[in-house]
Amino acid sequence: MLAWPFTNMAKVKNKHEYILMYAKEINNLGYPIGIAPDIKLDSKVFNEEIRNTVVKNGLKNPPSRIIIPKGFPAEVDNAIIPKPKPKKGIYPDFKSDIVIENKKVKYEFEIESGWSSASMLKKFISNGFQSVVDSKGLETSFAITSTGTPYIIKKRIGSTHVTSVIRNVGTTQSASKMLENLNLDFDYPKPTGLVSYLVKMYSKKNSIILDFFAGSGTTGQAVTELNAEDGGNRKFILATNNENNIAKEVTYERMKRVSSGTEKYEAKPMNLKYFKTDFVIKEDFPDVSLEYELLQYITPLVELEFAVDIANPKVQIVITDEQLENLIENNELVAHSTLFMHPDIFRDAEQNQILTDLQIKVQEIPNYFFGMELWSK
């Protein structure tokens, strides 16, 4: 559960909303990607390495002794670090001076302390001082610092620092201003910065983002802007009811204006389609007639799935064997084009040769486009 302050607070008020996050398989979810937007740029979370002392004292980390062998890496070229004066309960405690030569420990020594990563340290030693991998998949090594304290050093793979309160992603006021730039109005819109931050946590650059409660269409705009920002190829599906014509006059209209741009918003062109849904009564479509009914909508579905425009002469859709035969007989096939074809169409050797000669790419239309599960008994 995350919290988002949705407005600028002048006094102590209840001015936040909760964001509930679910996963189908929580154990396979992994770690979120991203850094909380309110983290300052000089924070160590932006460093390429994570550096921490392995000394950790407390009731859960009782002192134990580890021998640091000859050859252990150090961060100083040459040094003699004197054995500290014994003080009860003060750690780390070296049992001898530490001699460093050419950035390596010259003589083994014993150190007593409470440890945060004792097992990883021992694994690093047994691995001949070669990097090991921690539970998060990070390349991990150790080194003695100028004070004689061992440090753990991890190489980051994608910075991550997600906190439970989300700040600096915009407010309802800033989101309303954004809609003004698109010449639209909507009550209590969510800011695109908030949705972008949430999308980046777990999605990949080619993910499909589905929003069943699309409202004003913030998710669509956020995904589009995120693609423009990082070169991604994410797709979005927005679903909403049409109460007060929201779907047509706000959600769809917003995405049209994001695509075409306005005097105050730079265009971010996209392949946009708008569909209405309805219940299908199977009994009204005996046998396979429902499939034939659904064939009418194959073209826009192909355009959406493959990000193509059927108005392009180098994009053709073939649903039946007869259609393919007619294209060949009438010399209507376009060289160097893409032919989207029904999976049940059978092509003979002669037809395949013609397609090859014209350097036409054949892309099979997925079976799930044809509604078989809808009309099957």
Side-chain angles (χ1 to χ4, degrees):
M1 180 184 293
L2 304 175
W4 166 57
F6 61 83
T7 188
N8 298 318
M9 292 181 286
K11 296 180 180 179
V12 178
K13 299 177 182 178
N14 181 19
K15 291 294 183 180
H16 65 268
E17 292 183 2
Y18 291 108
I19 300 170
L20 302 180
M21 303 183 71
Y22 298 88
K24 185 176 181 180
E25 296 290 344
I26 190 69
N27 294 329
N28 297 330
L29 189 58
Y31 293 91
I33 298 298
I35 295 177
D38 58 333
I39 300 297
K40 295 182 179 180
L41 292 177
D42 60 356
S43 169
K44 67 179 183 180
V45 302
F46 290 101
N47 295 341
E48 293 181 358
E49 294 181 338
I50 306 168
R51 298 173 54 85
N52 289 297
T53 175
V54 294
V55 171
K56 186 175 183 179
N57 297 294
L59 294 176
K60 294 183 178 180
N61 303 89
S64 61
R65 297 185 178 187
I66 292 180
I67 293 177
I68 303 298
K70 174 183 176 181
F72 194 95
E75 294 191 330
V76 292
D77 292 320
N78 300 284
I80 297 177
I81 304 172
K83 171 187 173 183
K85 293 180 180 180
K87 292 183 181 179
K88 186 176 181 180
I90 302 299
Y91 300 100
D93 180 20
F94 316 135
K95 302 307 177 181
S96 62
D97 293 348
I98 302 173
V99 180
I100 296 173
E101 190 174 274
N102 297 324
K103 287 193 172 183
K104 294 181 181 180
V105 172
K106 189 172 183 180
Y107 308 107
E108 75 172 40
F109 67 93
E110 189 176 58
I111 180 172
E112 182 178 8
S113 178
W115 305 96
S116 66
S117 305
S119 60
M120 288 291 292
L121 175 57
K122 293 175 181 177
K123 186 177 179 181
F124 175 75
I125 292 171
S126 64
N127 198 40
F129 314 132
Q130 299 299 311
S131 298
V132 293
V133 178
D134 73 357
S135 59
K136 297 181 181 180
L138 301 182
E139 184 179 325
T140 305
S141 60
F142 295 81
I144 299 296
T145 64
S146 59
T147 64
T149 303
Y151 258 59
I152 184 170
I153 305 162
K154 301 184 178 186
K155 292 186 177 180
R156 294 186 188 275
I157 305 176
S159 297
T160 176
H161 186 83
V162 176
T163 58
S164 60
V165 179
I166 305 175
R167 294 187 174 92
N168 294 357
V169 293
T171 62
T172 51
Q173 293 95 328
S174 64
S176 294
K177 181 63 178 177
M178 168 61 74
L179 286 180
E180 286 182 20
N181 292 339
L182 295 170
N183 302 318
L184 291 169
D185 179 61
F186 189 80
D187 292 335
Y188 307 111
K190 301 294 186 293
T192 55
L194 171 64
V195 178
S196 294
Y197 177 62
L198 296 173
V199 167
K200 285 189 289 188
M201 276 190 193
Y202 284 106
S203 72
K204 299 178 181 178
K205 288 188 176 183
N206 61 347
S207 293
I208 298 176
I209 312 301
L210 171 63
D211 187 348
F212 268 121
F213 302 92
S216 69
T218 299
T219 296
Q221 182 174 346
V223 169
T224 303
E225 292 177 346
L226 191 55
N227 283 339
E229 174 187 319
D230 64 12
N233 189 33
R234 302 171 187 85
K235 301 175 184 177
F236 63 83
I237 300 173
L238 306 181
T240 186
N241 63 29
N242 201 30
E243 182 180 355
N244 298 322
N245 289 324
I246 288 175
K248 183 177 181 180
E249 297 179 2
V250 180
T251 316
Y252 179 55
E253 191 60 37
R254 177 179 188 172
M255 300 318 304
K256 283 174 60 180
R257 297 180 189 185
V258 167
S259 181
S260 62
T262 68
E263 65 277 4
K264 294 183 179 180
Y265 185 86
E266 183 180 353
K268 294 176 176 59
M270 69 184 80
N271 188 24
L272 183 65
K273 297 293 180 182
Y274 173 53
F275 294 93
K276 294 181 180 180
T277 59
D278 203 349
F279 291 102
V280 174
I281 302 175
K282 292 192 292 185
E283 288 74 15
D284 292 346
F285 298 90
D287 302 320
V288 297
S289 58
L290 179 55
E291 180 181 7
Y292 296 125
E293 178 74 15
L294 293 175
L295 288 179
Q296 301 178 46
Y297 306 100
I298 291 299
T299 295
L301 290 174
V302 168
E303 289 182 303
L304 279 176
E305 177 81 7
F306 297 97
V308 296
D309 186 354
I310 194 62
N312 183 345
K314 291 195 173 183
V315 174
Q316 294 176 293
I317 297 178
V318 178
I319 302 300
T320 66
D321 295 284
E322 292 77 13
Q323 190 177 358
L324 176 61
E325 291 170 3
N326 290 334
L327 286 173
I328 293 175
E329 289 176 4
N330 298 325
N331 295 318
E332 294 177 347
L333 289 173
V334 179
H336 308 286
S337 64
T338 300
L339 210 59
F340 291 89
M341 194 171 295
H342 193 296
D344 291 342
I345 290 179
F346 175 78
R347 302 190 304 274
D348 59 31
E350 182 180 352
Q351 291 173 328
N352 281 330
Q353 187 59 51
I354 292 172
L355 297 177
T356 300
D357 292 343
L358 291 173
Q359 298 184 44
I360 293 176
K361 176 185 175 183
V362 176
Q363 175 67 58
E364 186 175 284
I365 301 174
N367 272 306
Y368 53 77
F369 276 21
F370 300 99
M372 303 293 289
E373 73 282 358
L374 292 178
W375 57 260
S376 60
K377 300 299 182 182

